[in-house]
Protein backbone atom coordinates (compact mmCIF):
# COMPACT_ATOMS: atom_id res chain seq x y z
CA UNK A 1 0.00 0.00 0.00
CA UNK A 2 1.47 3.32 -1.09
CA UNK A 3 2.24 5.55 1.71
CA UNK A 4 0.88 9.04 1.21
CA UNK A 5 3.52 11.60 1.63
CA UNK A 6 2.64 14.59 3.71
CA UNK A 7 2.06 17.69 1.60
CA UNK A 8 2.89 21.23 2.57
CA UNK A 9 1.46 24.12 0.73
CA UNK A 10 3.34 27.36 0.65
CA UNK A 11 1.54 30.48 1.47
CA UNK A 12 2.52 33.92 0.29
CA UNK A 13 3.51 35.81 3.34
CA UNK A 14 2.31 39.34 3.16
CA UNK A 15 2.38 41.74 5.99
CA UNK A 16 -0.19 41.81 8.65
CA UNK A 17 -3.72 41.93 7.21
CA UNK A 18 -2.35 40.63 3.88
CA UNK A 19 -0.85 43.98 2.92
CA UNK A 20 2.75 44.47 1.83
CA UNK A 21 5.02 44.88 4.77
CA UNK A 22 6.21 48.53 5.02
CA UNK A 23 9.70 47.11 5.40
CA UNK A 24 9.45 45.57 1.92
CA UNK A 25 8.41 48.95 0.56
CA UNK A 26 11.34 50.58 2.27
CA UNK A 27 13.76 48.04 0.82
CA UNK A 28 12.22 48.50 -2.65
CA UNK A 29 12.53 52.27 -2.38
CA UNK A 30 16.13 52.07 -1.21
CA UNK A 31 16.97 49.70 -4.08
CA UNK A 32 15.36 52.07 -6.57
CA UNK A 33 17.24 55.03 -5.15
CA UNK A 34 20.52 53.12 -5.35
CA UNK A 35 19.80 52.03 -8.93
CA UNK A 36 19.00 55.60 -9.98
CA UNK A 37 22.12 56.87 -8.21
CA UNK A 38 24.27 54.33 -10.04
CA UNK A 39 22.82 55.41 -13.39
CA UNK A 40 23.24 59.11 -12.58
CA UNK A 41 26.85 58.63 -11.44
CA UNK A 42 27.52 56.56 -14.56
CA UNK A 43 26.15 59.30 -16.81
CA UNK A 44 28.08 61.96 -14.89
CA UNK A 45 31.33 60.01 -15.25
CA UNK A 46 30.66 59.53 -18.96
CA UNK A 47 29.94 63.23 -19.51
CA UNK A 48 32.97 64.14 -17.42
CA UNK A 49 35.09 61.85 -19.54
CA UNK A 50 33.72 63.34 -22.76
CA UNK A 51 34.45 66.84 -21.50
CA UNK A 52 37.95 66.22 -20.19
CA UNK A 53 39.13 63.70 -22.75
CA UNK A 54 39.96 66.25 -25.45
CA UNK A 55 42.26 67.86 -22.90
CA UNK A 56 44.24 64.80 -21.91
CA UNK A 57 47.92 65.57 -21.49
CA UNK A 58 49.66 65.45 -24.85
CA UNK A 59 53.19 65.44 -26.13
CA UNK A 60 53.94 66.98 -29.48
CA UNK A 61 56.75 68.27 -31.63
CA UNK A 62 56.14 71.86 -32.59
CA UNK A 63 59.63 72.84 -33.58
CA UNK A 64 62.81 71.24 -34.75
CA UNK A 65 65.89 71.99 -36.79
CA UNK A 66 68.30 69.94 -38.85
CA UNK A 67 71.62 71.35 -37.69
CA UNK A 68 73.84 69.06 -39.71
CA UNK A 69 73.53 66.45 -42.41
CA UNK A 70 76.66 65.05 -43.95
CA UNK A 71 77.18 61.87 -45.84
CA UNK A 72 80.36 60.61 -47.46
CA UNK A 73 81.22 58.19 -50.20
CA UNK A 74 81.99 55.45 -47.69
CA UNK A 75 78.32 55.51 -46.71
CA UNK A 76 78.71 57.13 -43.32
CA UNK A 77 76.05 59.57 -42.20
CA UNK A 78 76.64 62.29 -39.71
CA UNK A 79 73.76 64.34 -38.43
CA UNK A 80 72.64 66.68 -35.70
CA UNK A 81 69.07 67.58 -34.96
CA UNK A 82 67.43 69.88 -32.47
CA UNK A 83 63.99 68.68 -31.44
CA UNK A 84 61.66 70.51 -29.10
CA UNK A 85 59.03 68.27 -27.55
CA UNK A 86 56.16 70.05 -25.83
CA UNK A 87 54.29 68.41 -22.96
CA UNK A 88 50.94 70.10 -22.60
CA UNK A 89 48.41 69.89 -19.81
CA UNK A 90 45.14 71.46 -20.96
CA UNK A 91 43.39 70.64 -17.70
CA UNK A 92 42.57 73.80 -15.77
CA UNK A 93 42.07 71.98 -12.46
CA UNK A 94 44.74 69.35 -12.12
CA UNK A 95 48.50 69.08 -12.33
CA UNK A 96 49.72 66.51 -14.81
CA UNK A 97 52.74 64.35 -14.36
CA UNK A 98 54.69 62.81 -17.21
CA UNK A 99 56.88 59.77 -16.75
CA UNK A 100 58.51 56.87 -18.61
CA UNK A 101 59.29 59.20 -21.47
CA UNK A 102 61.17 57.69 -24.39
CA UNK A 103 61.55 58.79 -27.97
CA UNK A 104 63.26 56.97 -30.80
CA UNK A 105 64.57 58.74 -33.83
CA UNK A 106 65.56 56.81 -36.90
CA UNK A 107 66.27 57.30 -40.56
CA UNK A 108 65.04 54.71 -43.07
CA UNK A 109 64.87 52.09 -40.34
CA UNK A 110 68.36 52.97 -39.14
CA UNK A 111 68.28 53.87 -35.43
CA UNK A 112 69.88 57.21 -34.68
CA UNK A 113 69.16 57.85 -31.03
CA UNK A 114 66.93 57.12 -28.09
CA UNK A 115 65.83 60.18 -26.14
CA UNK A 116 64.62 60.01 -22.59
CA UNK A 117 63.54 62.43 -19.86
CA UNK A 118 63.17 62.31 -16.12
CA UNK A 119 59.61 62.44 -14.80
CA UNK A 120 58.27 65.95 -14.42
CA UNK A 121 55.09 67.84 -13.61
CA UNK A 122 53.18 70.33 -15.68
CA UNK A 123 50.98 72.77 -13.74
CA UNK A 124 47.32 73.34 -14.54
CA UNK A 125 46.61 74.68 -18.02
CA UNK A 126 50.21 75.02 -19.08
CA UNK A 127 53.01 73.31 -20.91
CA UNK A 128 56.67 72.49 -20.70
CA UNK A 129 59.27 72.12 -23.42
CA UNK A 130 61.91 69.43 -23.56
CA UNK A 131 64.73 70.43 -25.81
CA UNK A 132 66.98 67.78 -27.31
CA UNK A 133 70.12 68.13 -29.34
CA UNK A 134 70.73 64.80 -30.98
CA UNK A 135 74.21 64.31 -32.31
CA UNK A 136 75.11 61.28 -34.23
CA UNK A 137 78.31 60.53 -35.98
CA UNK A 138 79.14 57.81 -38.44
CA UNK A 139 75.93 55.92 -38.95
CA UNK A 140 76.81 53.25 -41.51
CA UNK A 141 74.27 53.30 -44.34
CA UNK A 142 73.44 50.54 -46.75
CA UNK A 143 73.73 51.35 -50.49
CA UNK A 144 69.93 51.75 -50.58
CA UNK A 145 69.97 54.17 -47.68
CA UNK A 146 72.83 56.11 -49.31
CA UNK A 147 70.70 56.48 -52.39
CA UNK A 148 67.83 57.75 -50.23
CA UNK A 149 70.08 60.43 -48.74
CA UNK A 150 71.18 61.41 -52.25
CA UNK A 151 67.53 61.77 -53.27
CA UNK A 152 66.81 63.77 -50.12
CA UNK A 153 69.49 66.30 -51.10
CA UNK A 154 68.10 66.50 -54.63
CA UNK A 155 64.50 66.97 -53.46
CA UNK A 156 65.69 69.21 -50.61
CA UNK A 157 63.50 67.19 -48.26
CA UNK A 158 64.51 64.56 -45.74
CA UNK A 159 62.28 62.60 -43.42
CA UNK A 160 63.14 61.07 -40.05
CA UNK A 161 60.90 58.76 -38.08
CA UNK A 162 60.12 59.95 -34.61
CA UNK A 163 58.24 57.67 -32.26
CA UNK A 164 57.69 58.00 -28.58
CA UNK A 165 55.68 57.07 -25.57
CA UNK A 166 54.98 58.49 -22.14
CA UNK A 167 52.80 57.82 -19.15
CA UNK A 168 50.71 60.73 -18.04
CA UNK A 169 48.69 61.19 -14.94
CA UNK A 170 46.37 63.75 -13.46
CA UNK A 171 46.15 64.09 -9.73
CA UNK A 172 42.47 64.61 -9.01
CA UNK A 173 42.52 65.71 -5.40
CA UNK A 174 41.69 63.04 -2.85
CA UNK A 175 39.84 60.98 -5.46
CA UNK A 176 43.07 59.59 -6.79
CA UNK A 177 44.35 59.97 -10.30
CA UNK A 178 43.55 59.41 -13.92
CA UNK A 179 46.26 57.71 -15.94
CA UNK A 180 46.90 57.63 -19.63
CA UNK A 181 49.45 56.13 -21.91
CA UNK A 182 50.31 58.31 -24.84
CA UNK A 183 51.98 57.41 -28.09
CA UNK A 184 53.61 59.55 -30.68
CA UNK A 185 54.47 58.43 -34.18
CA UNK A 186 55.44 61.00 -36.73
CA UNK A 187 57.61 61.90 -39.66
CA UNK A 188 59.89 64.84 -39.03
CA UNK A 189 60.66 66.53 -42.33
CA UNK A 190 63.41 69.02 -43.00
CA UNK A 191 64.97 70.98 -45.84
CA UNK A 192 68.55 69.63 -45.94
CA UNK A 193 69.85 72.74 -47.69
CA UNK A 194 69.04 75.15 -44.88
CA UNK A 195 67.93 72.82 -42.08
CA UNK A 196 64.42 74.24 -41.81
CA UNK A 197 61.77 72.07 -40.20
CA UNK A 198 58.73 71.44 -42.37
CA UNK A 199 55.85 71.59 -39.88
CA UNK A 200 53.41 68.72 -39.86
CA UNK A 201 51.02 67.32 -37.34
CA UNK A 202 52.95 65.51 -34.64
CA UNK A 203 50.79 65.04 -31.54
CA UNK A 204 50.36 62.06 -29.28
CA UNK A 205 47.30 59.88 -29.02
CA UNK A 206 46.22 58.80 -25.57
CA UNK A 207 44.43 55.76 -24.32
C1 LIG B 1 44.41 78.51 -20.06
O1 LIG B 1 45.47 79.21 -20.68
C2 LIG B 1 45.11 79.98 -21.80
C3 LIG B 1 46.33 80.61 -22.38
O2 LIG B 1 47.47 79.90 -22.11
C4 LIG B 1 44.09 81.03 -21.38
O3 LIG B 1 43.67 81.75 -22.53
C5 LIG B 1 42.90 80.34 -20.75
O4 LIG B 1 42.00 81.32 -20.28
C6 LIG B 1 43.34 79.47 -19.59
N1 LIG B 1 42.20 78.76 -19.07
C7 LIG B 1 41.97 78.62 -17.78
C8 LIG B 1 40.71 77.93 -17.41
O5 LIG B 1 42.74 79.04 -16.93
C1 LIG C 1 62.71 52.47 -29.13
O1 LIG C 1 63.66 51.56 -29.58
C2 LIG C 1 63.93 50.52 -28.66
C3 LIG C 1 65.03 49.67 -29.24
O2 LIG C 1 65.63 50.24 -30.33
C4 LIG C 1 62.67 49.72 -28.43
O3 LIG C 1 62.90 48.73 -27.47
C5 LIG C 1 61.58 50.65 -27.94
O4 LIG C 1 60.37 49.94 -27.80
C6 LIG C 1 61.40 51.79 -28.89
N1 LIG C 1 60.42 52.72 -28.31
C7 LIG C 1 59.46 53.32 -29.01
C8 LIG C 1 58.58 54.26 -28.27
O5 LIG C 1 59.29 53.10 -30.21
C1 LIG D 1 64.75 77.20 -46.25
O1 LIG D 1 64.47 76.75 -47.57
C2 LIG D 1 63.09 76.63 -47.88
C3 LIG D 1 62.94 76.04 -49.27
O2 LIG D 1 64.04 76.28 -50.06
C4 LIG D 1 62.41 77.98 -47.75
O3 LIG D 1 61.03 77.86 -48.03
C5 LIG D 1 62.61 78.48 -46.33
O4 LIG D 1 62.05 79.76 -46.20
C6 LIG D 1 64.08 78.53 -45.98
N1 LIG D 1 64.20 78.89 -44.57
C7 LIG D 1 65.10 79.76 -44.13
C8 LIG D 1 65.09 80.01 -42.67
O5 LIG D 1 65.88 80.32 -44.87
Amino acid sequence: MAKTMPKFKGKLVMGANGRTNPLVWLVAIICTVIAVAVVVVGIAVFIGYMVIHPRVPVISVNNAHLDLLRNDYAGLLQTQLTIVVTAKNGNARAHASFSDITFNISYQGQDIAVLVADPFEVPKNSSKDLSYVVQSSSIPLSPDQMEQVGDAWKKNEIEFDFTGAARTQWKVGPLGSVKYLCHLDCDLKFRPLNGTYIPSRCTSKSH
Side-chain angles (χ1 to χ4, degrees):
M1 195 177 107
K3 197 175 164 209
T4 40
M5 301 292 280
K7 262 189 196 162
F8 297 95
K9 193 170 180 220
K11 194 177 147 215
L12 273 176
V13 180
M14 306 295 269
N17 321 324
R19 281 200 270 123
T20 308
N21 190 327
L23 209 60
V24 174
W25 276 115
L26 191 64
V27 170
I29 289 168
I30 290 173
C31 286
T32 308
V33 168
I34 290 173
V36 168
V38 166
V39 169
V40 167
V41 168
I43 291 171
V45 166
F46 178 73
I47 291 173
Y49 182 79
M50 294 307 283
V51 169
I52 67 174
H53 195 257
R55 298 198 213 126
V56 297
V58 290
I59 46 178
S60 57
V61 174
N62 296 318
N63 204 3
H65 192 257
L66 179 64
D67 306 327
L68 174 75
L69 183 74
R70 191 179 292 153
N71 55 310
D72 64 17
Y73 290 102
L76 294 178
L77 179 75
Q78 203 184 340
T79 185
Q80 182 180 312
L81 299 119
T82 300
I83 300 168
V84 182
V85 179
T86 304
K88 184 165 181 259
N89 175 22
N91 192 323
R93 283 181 201 87
H95 283 230
S97 63
F98 290 76
S99 59
D100 292 342
I101 305 155
T102 339
F103 302 104
N104 283 356
I105 183 155
S106 62
Y107 175 71
Q108 301 288 332
Q110 181 87 46
D111 286 335
I112 293 180
V114 174
L115 315 178
V116 294
D118 288 333
F120 59 89
E121 298 235 335
V122 177
K124 302 165 189 176
N125 194 30
S126 72
S127 65
K128 237 175 215 183
D129 284 345
L130 298 169
S131 192
Y132 292 99
V133 177
V134 183
Q135 248 176 337
S136 130
S137 53
S138 305
I139 302 166
L141 297 181
S142 70
D144 266 3
Q145 291 166 336
M146 281 169 72
E147 203 174 307
Q148 298 280 356
V149 179
D151 286 350
W153 279 113
K154 267 181 237 149
K155 279 189 349 196
N156 193 21
E157 183 175 320
I158 191 164
E159 190 176 302
F160 294 86
D161 295 316
F162 191 70
T163 60
R167 278 177 200 288
T168 62
Q169 188 175 339
W170 276 328
K171 299 212 179 68
V172 200
L175 290 175
S177 60
V178 190
K179 293 177 187 172
Y180 296 98
L181 194 61
C182 60
H183 279 280
L184 191 69
D185 186 356
C186 29
D187 301 325
L188 295 185
K189 292 184 195 160
F190 300 92
R191 303 267 177 225
L193 290 177
N194 61 9
T196 306
Y197 172 61
I198 305 169
S200 64
R201 192 176 159 72
C202 179
T203 299
S204 64
K205 292 183 177 69
S206 289
H207 48 89

